[in-house]
Amino acid sequence: MGSTEGITGPLADYECTAIAKAPAVTQLNPPHRLLCGPGPGNAHPRVHAAMSLPEIGHLDPAFISMMEDIKSLLRYAWQTNNEFTIPVSGTGSAAMEACMANLVEAGDKVLIFSNGYFGPRLADMASRYGGEVIEEKAPWGTVFSFDAIKASVEKHKPVLACLVHAETSTGAAQPLEGVGKLCHDNGALLVADTVTSIFGVPCHLDKWGSGRRVRWYPK
């Protein structure tokens, strides 16, 4: 127990207590598990080795060089030449939030195609940024046909259209061929959730995205 003798002011009546001895814990040694869910997954030994390397600051020239390498690899993964391809230091939800925070303004019409758990999360985020959310729904485990997407985009003329490329909750893979051009022709940006599709199925951003009017994010 600490003493407040001689102290005046707001802390005069404060009584300090502390745990006298740090708890004894064993060295961290996680068990080996085969992780088969949508995330997290087992990392390659090369990743474990890289994570044991010394830390450097985010303003270090070496860090900038490594970031450029990562951006180059991401462009390859998404099959795009867009220089503004960047990693987000966070979860897939952080990238989802970043998209909504930067692309949705109050009053913007946002069209969300929901066929599982993560479409409604996009809708919730868009609404909190003041978007006028229109949610098209399909049964869990199914996907939207191109004709259904086309009819909705042409009807509502949104500023932003959002699709989940691979719905984590069910594994349903939403075809995206032609959707980018459709959105472009109707003055909309396309946001695609590729959390569980990137590196698992082909993602051709430039081919499917019609120029730069598409924003994709992975975990």
Side-chain angles (χ1 to χ4, degrees):
M1 181 178 295
S3 172
T4 57
E5 184 178 350
I7 296 178
T8 60
L11 296 179
D13 298 325
Y14 177 74
E15 192 172 80
C16 178
T17 60
I19 298 174
K21 186 178 180 181
V25 295
T26 59
Q27 183 172 340
L28 184 63
N29 187 26
H32 290 280
R33 301 282 192 247
L34 177 61
L35 303 175
C36 298
N42 295 102
H44 192 278
R46 287 175 58 194
V47 176
H48 292 156
M51 292 178 69
S52 69
L53 297 175
E55 300 85 356
I56 58 174
H58 64 285
L59 298 179
D60 192 298
F63 181 91
I64 303 300
S65 176
M66 285 187 284
M67 180 66 75
E68 290 302 317
D69 288 343
I70 292 170
K71 289 165 60 180
S72 177
L73 290 168
L74 285 174
R75 284 194 290 271
Y76 172 76
W78 271 309
Q79 293 294 287
T80 180
N81 291 314
N82 190 339
E83 289 295 323
F84 197 69
T85 301
I86 59 172
V88 174
S89 182
T91 63
S93 294
M96 181 187 292
E97 186 83 35
C99 281
M100 295 299 104
N102 284 277
L103 299 178
V104 178
E105 295 184 359
D108 282 351
K109 192 177 290 186
V110 182
L111 180 58
I112 310 285
F113 292 90
S114 299
N115 60 337
Y117 179 79
F118 287 93
R121 287 190 65 185
L122 280 165
D124 179 58
M125 290 180 182
S127 66
R128 284 190 276 114
Y129 287 104
E132 179 189 332
V133 175
I134 302 161
E135 192 172 1
E136 297 281 14
K137 296 183 179 181
W140 283 41
T142 66
V143 296
F144 292 90
S145 68
F146 178 81
D147 288 341
I149 296 171
K150 182 174 184 289
S152 186
V153 169
E154 291 179 345
K155 175 183 177 182
H156 298 293
K157 298 292 184 182
V159 172
L160 200 66
C162 304
L163 280 159
V164 180
H165 188 211
E167 175 54 64
T168 305
S169 59
T170 65
Q174 172 65 53
L176 289 179
E177 292 87 341
V179 178
K181 184 177 187 305
L182 169 68
C183 290
H184 176 81
D185 292 345
N186 286 273
L189 281 169
L190 171 64
V191 170
D193 177 344
T194 65
V195 166
T196 49
S197 59
I198 190 68
F199 307 123
V201 297
C203 293
H204 298 283
L205 194 152
D206 283 358
K207 182 179 178 181
W208 296 344
S210 183
R212 300 192 177 192
R213 299 189 67 84
V214 61
R215 300 293 181 269
W216 294 18
Y217 57 87
K219 181 173 286 186

